[in-house]
């Protein structure tokens, strides 16, 4: 095989992990709200890294902090909360969506998860009354997690990218309840207020204990890093994503 050929996309497990019920996903998307939310969740729960994404070819990044590099897409686990979290600092370009979804769901199957939740911001014109989380979820996810909450459904429109792929797979998979929590986000990076709304939606629907109080300070600490990431995301998205996004 040529050394230039991309490797098969997969999540390479680097540590043992007991079965967990819930897998939460957040990646580099508009406003970095979902990424900020899952990154904060990992920090607050002191979760341990158990794997990372391998393969897929370019575009690739190597994020680092205090001079130490790390993989751009990492899997963390908290067996005490029966929770796994995928933190993706690399934008998932459209040609890679299906392969990354395969890797996520294959790992979820290996971990025995029963539900997948993706957290993401949405670029939609909105007023202060829309500063709230919304859901798009399969019917089994709605029955299991949303029937006793006041979280509103997103009215009409369409998802795209990784969230669309995961939800579409979940429609026909009765063994995996799949949902997306989304909220209007602003382009500044990171949108801490949007991230807080996503974390609160997750904790309101799942038995996960997280203090959202320090998130504003956390967001300030990573603002410079995520600002650079947002600029890269904007450049890549302008080349590979459609401009028209229908959310209402």
């Amino acid at each position: 095989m040529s050394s230039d050929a991309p490797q098969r996309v997969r999540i390479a497990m680097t540590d043992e992990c007991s079965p967990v019920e819930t897998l939460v996903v957040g990646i580099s998307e508009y406003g970095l709200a979902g990424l900020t939310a899952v990154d904060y969740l990992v920090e607050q729960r002191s979760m341990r890294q158990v794997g990372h994404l391998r393969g897929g070819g370019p575009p690739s990044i190597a994020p680092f902090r205090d001079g130490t590099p790390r993989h751009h897409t990492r899997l963390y686990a908290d067996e005490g909360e029966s929770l796994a979290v995928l933190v993706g600092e690399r934008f998932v370009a459209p040609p890679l969506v299906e392969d990354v979804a395969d890797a996520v769901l294959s790992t979820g199957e290996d971990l025995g998860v029963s539900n997948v939740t993706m957290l993401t911001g949405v670029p939609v014109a909105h007023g202060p009354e829309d500063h709230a989380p919304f859901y798009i979820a399969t019917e089994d996810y709605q029955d299991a997690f949303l029937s006793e909450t006041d979280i509103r459904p997103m009215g009409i429109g369409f998802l795209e990218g990784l969230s669309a792929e995961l939800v579409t797979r979940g429609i026909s998979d009765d063994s995996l309840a799949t949902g997306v929590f989304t909220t209007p986000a602003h382009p500044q990076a990171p949108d801490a207020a949007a991230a807080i709304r996503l974390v609160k939606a997750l904790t309101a629907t799942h038995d996960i204990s997280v203090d959202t109080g320090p998130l504003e300070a956390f967001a300030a600490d990573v603002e410079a890093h995520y600002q650079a990431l947002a600029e890269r995301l904007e450049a890549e998205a302008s080349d590979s994503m459609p401009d028209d996004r229908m959310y209402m």
Side-chain angles (χ1 to χ4, degrees):
M1 179 181 293
S2 169
S3 59
D4 295 330
Q7 295 177 319
R8 179 176 63 89
V9 179
R10 62 188 178 89
I11 294 177
M13 300 299 291
T14 56
D15 201 355
E16 293 184 0
C17 181
S18 301
V20 296
E21 286 290 323
T22 298
L23 173 60
V24 180
V25 179
I27 62 172
S28 293
E29 292 183 318
Y30 188 85
L32 300 179
L35 175 58
T36 304
V38 294
D39 204 358
Y40 181 75
L41 185 62
V42 166
E43 292 284 340
Q44 283 294 299
R45 293 297 314 170
S46 299
M47 300 176 72
R48 63 187 181 90
Q49 185 176 336
V50 296
H52 61 269
L53 193 72
R54 294 284 302 274
S60 188
I61 61 172
F64 60 87
R65 180 176 295 172
D66 297 329
T68 302
R70 59 180 181 263
H71 294 285
H72 56 68
T73 303
R74 306 173 300 279
L75 181 69
Y76 295 86
D78 182 345
E79 287 97 332
E81 290 280 358
S82 198
L83 172 69
V85 175
L86 187 71
V87 178
E89 295 187 71
R90 184 181 78 173
F91 171 63
V92 179
L96 292 177
V97 165
E98 289 190 19
D99 290 340
V100 172
D102 285 342
V104 170
L105 296 178
S106 176
T107 298
E109 184 177 355
D110 292 342
L111 295 176
V113 303
S114 63
N115 64 96
V116 174
T117 302
M118 185 159 179
L119 307 180
T120 184
V122 57
V124 61
H126 63 281
E129 68 279 2
D130 291 321
H131 281 174
F134 298 85
Y135 73 80
I136 304 99
T138 58
E139 292 182 1
D140 51 351
Y141 190 100
Q142 295 180 39
D143 292 340
F145 301 106
L146 296 166
S147 60
E148 297 183 4
T149 74
D150 58 1
I151 300 174
R152 292 178 284 168
M154 184 68 79
I156 189 171
F158 59 82
L159 293 167
E160 62 185 5
L162 185 60
S163 58
E165 188 68 22
L166 293 176
V167 166
T168 300
R169 306 269 188 105
I171 293 172
S172 56
D173 187 349
D174 294 336
S175 67
L176 190 66
T178 309
V180 174
F181 287 129
T182 189
T183 189
H186 300 284
Q188 74 267 20
D191 188 337
I196 289 172
R197 295 194 292 271
L198 295 175
V199 172
K200 287 185 175 180
L202 183 68
T203 58
T205 54
H206 293 67
D207 189 18
I208 301 170
S209 176
V210 183
D211 179 10
T212 58
L215 180 54
E216 291 283 356
F218 172 82
D221 288 341
V222 300
E223 183 172 3
H225 168 72
Y226 279 171
Q227 180 62 47
L229 187 60
E231 292 171 359
R232 179 181 177 89
L233 170 63
E234 182 179 358
E236 292 180 1
S238 64
D239 293 335
S240 57
M241 298 293 285
D243 293 330
D244 184 26
R245 300 185 181 193
M246 295 176 59
Y247 291 90
M248 298 176 63

